[in-house]
Amino acid sequence: MAVIVLNAITIGCETSSFVMGWIGEPLHVVDRVVVGVFVLELTARLYAHRGAFFKDPWNWFDAAIVGIALVPASGPASVLRTLRIMRALRLVTAVPSMRRVISALMAAIPGMASILGLLIIIMYVAAVMATQWFGRTAPAYFAEIPTSLFTLFQVMTGEGWPDIAGQIMDAHPWAWVFFVAYILVSSFVVLNLFIAVVVNAMDDESTSVEEQRTDDRLRAITEELARLHTKLDALSPRAESRAGEQADGSEDEPSPSLSNAG
């Protein structure tokens, strides 16, 4: 993690002409050393896990990041060197809590896709209505469907919508009803559904982690009980044989009363 953070800082410093003029060469040396550390670490993991290395998608992610770091700084592929900053994303694989967040986001994609489809339908219906109603009044905002879609996206984010609505309301005083209804539906309802889906997915992810820990504990307890049961089964025949030997020995010995009588 320290190497990843150091590399992210050095890459950021390389964007400053002042810093590069001051310590440019040491930064390049640090960058090469960090790449070497990444390659050695990835090679060690590959050697340790062998074929299992490719079963983990996070290992593929790390391999792609390191592969980008090895792209030459000159030639047609030099533009890919700007992707070196993606090495900072390796913090995601290094910190388990970050991996859980990414896993939750991936799990929330199906639900988010449905909400996104609903939002697109709402925006399209509103764009058609706005183009027909306000196209002549404000052609800069609602002349055609693409322009209306962009304007409504801007209104949905809350950026500058009072100016747009004010210009429309000069000719259509009732236009506030359209804008208020659209903002309520698109921003306060649909976009909050995204948050609800993501929060629910993160809650399920944390619950699954706790369930996994509980299952691991139960599995360990079950295995320990199985070992104890095996030991008891192994001790039972010995105890029975000893009891039998003691019983046979007591039958062979004469009773004390008979010996006294003799």
Side-chain angles (χ1 to χ4, degrees), residues 60-229:
W60 284 96
F61 178 79
D62 287 344
I65 296 298
V66 175
I68 292 174
L70 298 176
V71 173
S74 60
S78 60
V79 66
L80 295 178
R81 293 286 290 176
T82 58
L83 299 179
R84 291 180 305 159
I85 190 58
M86 291 184 65
R87 296 181 209 165
L89 294 178
R90 293 200 64 196
L91 282 175
V92 175
T93 61
V95 181
S97 59
M98 289 187 181
R99 284 191 293 181
R100 286 195 292 269
V101 171
I102 298 300
S103 299
L105 290 176
M106 296 298 292
I109 286 179
M112 294 173 65
S114 300
I115 299 174
L116 181 61
L118 176 62
L119 180 60
I120 291 174
I121 293 174
I122 293 174
M123 289 184 62
Y124 179 76
V125 172
V128 173
M129 296 171 61
T131 302
Q132 293 179 351
W133 289 343
F134 314 131
R136 296 181 179 178
T137 305
Y141 297 120
F142 301 105
E144 298 178 353
I145 291 293
T147 307
S148 298
L149 286 172
F150 182 80
T151 302
L152 291 178
F153 181 81
Q154 179 181 349
V155 171
M156 180 183 64
T157 61
E159 179 65 27
W161 79 269
D163 298 333
I164 300 173
Q167 182 177 346
I168 300 297
M169 289 175 62
D170 291 339
H172 306 280
W174 53 268
W176 66 268
V177 178
F178 171 82
F179 287 101
V180 171
Y182 174 76
I183 292 174
L184 287 175
V185 174
S186 62
S187 298
F188 296 100
V189 178
V190 177
L191 292 183
N192 282 321
L193 286 176
F194 279 102
I195 301 175
V197 170
V198 173
V199 170
N200 186 49
M202 295 185 66
D203 182 67
D204 292 341
E205 182 69 20
S206 60
T207 302
S208 63
V209 172
E210 294 297 330
E211 291 176 351
Q212 183 64 36
R213 292 178 181 174
T214 303
D215 292 341
D216 293 340
R217 293 173 183 173
L218 291 177
R219 189 179 300 107
I221 294 173
T222 303
E223 293 175 354
E224 184 66 24
L225 290 176
R227 286 194 293 268
L228 293 175
H229 186 70

